[in-house]
């Protein structure tokens, strides 16, 4: 008979109230740290003091790295205190080749869409190199946070479709912050992107690998143009 230990929470049942409390609590963390802190005040401050050029994008990337490290730390500490491990969330969990391929295609298309709005994919300013290295850090922070939410909802036997929708709402909603403004258009488009990544996470056997690939590639291939897009959004909204 298989014995479930406290280091493996993947098969332990969880009350719906507790699961939704953790999922909504993590959503609040994301709104405060990444939404208000990074996309809001951080982007506004960088725009107002550095503009929208490549160096400004690099500075904003530093703000984001700091924010994502905070989110990662909160997620991992919270999960460990509830008896879980990073493996429970999908770290190094086997996945399927098809999920990996979809992750790669998703990431490349995201990068291509970024350059379709402008920018030179062959330009190699020195800021691009550290931003390439920062890509996996940014992706890891968000993907682990969403995995924490979906993991707890899964333990409470929340329907898969609702997990996917909630993942899209939780992650997409705080992307609506654009400097000192909030735009529903950004939130909706981000909801679609992150709902697709939530579906990929579930389809890929709840492994972090496909979604980390799909999320890190746009940053690694399209920054600093991708981050400049945030600053241009702040400027378009009037700061």
């Amino acid at each position: 008979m298989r014995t479930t230990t406290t280091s493996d929470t993947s098969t332990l049942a969880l009350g719906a109230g507790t699961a939704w409390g953790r999922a909504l609590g993590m959503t609040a963390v994301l709104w405060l740290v990444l939404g208000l802190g990074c996309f809001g005040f951080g982007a506004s401050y960088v725009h107002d003091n550095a503009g929208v050029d490549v160096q400004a994008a690099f500075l904003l990337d530093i703000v984001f790295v700091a924010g994502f490290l905070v989110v990662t730390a909160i997620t991992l500490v919270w999960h460990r205190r509830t008896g879980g491990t990073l493996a429970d969330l999908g770290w190094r969990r086997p996945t399927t080749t098809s999920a990996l391929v979809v992750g790669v295609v998703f990431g490349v298309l995201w990068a291509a869409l970024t350059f379709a709005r402008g920018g030179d994919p062959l330009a190699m300013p020195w800021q691009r190199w550290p931003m390439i290295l920062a890509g996996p850090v940014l992706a890891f922070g968000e993907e682990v946070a969403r995995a924490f939410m979906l993991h707890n909802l899964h333990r409470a036997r929340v329907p898969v479709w609702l997990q996917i929708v909630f993942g899209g709402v939780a992650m997409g909603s705080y992307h609506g912050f654009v400097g000192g403004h909030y735009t529903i258009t950004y939130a909706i488009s981000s909801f679609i992107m992150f709902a697709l990544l939530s579906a990929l996470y579930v389809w890929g056997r709840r492994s972090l690998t496909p979604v980390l690939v799909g999320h890190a590639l746009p940053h690694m291939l399209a920054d600093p143009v991708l981050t400049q897009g945030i600053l241009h959004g702040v400027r378009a909204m009037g700061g």
Side-chain angles (χ1 to χ4, degrees):
M1 179 181 296
R2 182 178 183 273
T3 300
T4 302
T5 67
T6 56
S7 63
D8 179 10
T9 63
S10 59
T11 60
L12 294 177
L14 190 67
T18 300
W20 281 109
R22 293 175 184 176
L24 292 172
M26 181 56 66
T27 302
V29 169
L30 293 170
W31 266 67
L32 288 172
V33 178
L34 301 183
L36 288 170
C38 295
F39 286 99
F41 295 125
S44 181
Y45 180 84
V46 171
H47 170 268
D48 293 345
N49 290 274
V52 298
D53 62 10
V54 172
Q55 180 63 18
F58 175 66
L59 294 174
L60 182 56
D61 211 46
I62 294 174
V63 173
F64 275 116
V65 167
F68 280 90
L69 288 176
V70 170
V71 168
T72 300
I74 291 173
T75 304
L76 296 182
V77 169
W78 191 354
H79 187 53
R80 184 166 293 278
R81 287 187 176 180
T82 61
T85 68
L86 189 55
D88 297 334
L89 303 182
W91 180 250
R92 301 184 67 180
R93 179 176 296 169
T95 187
T96 64
T97 301
S98 55
L100 284 173
V101 170
V102 170
V104 171
V105 172
F106 184 91
V108 171
L109 288 177
W110 189 346
L113 181 62
T114 299
F115 285 116
R117 296 193 294 264
D120 181 5
L122 300 180
M124 295 300 295
W126 70 265
Q127 293 92 340
R128 189 170 189 178
W129 297 105
M131 294 180 81
I132 288 173
L133 296 177
V137 176
L138 301 178
F140 187 81
E142 283 189 303
E143 295 308 323
V144 168
R146 185 181 52 239
F148 172 80
M149 293 187 285
L150 267 59
H151 172 70
N152 281 283
L153 295 178
H154 180 61
R155 288 176 58 193
R157 304 188 187 283
V158 172
V160 171
W161 70 266
L162 184 53
Q163 294 179 44
I164 293 171
V165 171
F166 179 79
V169 171
M171 307 297 288
S173 58
Y174 66 82
H175 283 76
F177 286 99
V178 184
H181 305 271
Y182 189 88
T183 168
I184 194 66
T185 303
Y186 278 45
I188 292 175
S189 61
S190 296
F191 160 75
I192 295 171
M193 298 288 282
F194 286 103
L196 290 173
L197 282 172
S198 296
L200 178 59
Y201 174 72
V202 172
W203 181 54
R205 298 176 180 172
R206 297 183 184 268
S207 170
L208 283 170
T209 305
V211 289
L212 283 174
V213 171
H215 198 156
L217 276 176
H219 291 284
M220 299 177 72
L221 296 175
D223 264 328
V225 175
L226 181 64
T227 304
Q228 281 182 280
I230 298 172
L231 294 170
H232 282 295
V234 174
R235 174 161 293 183
M237 296 293 292

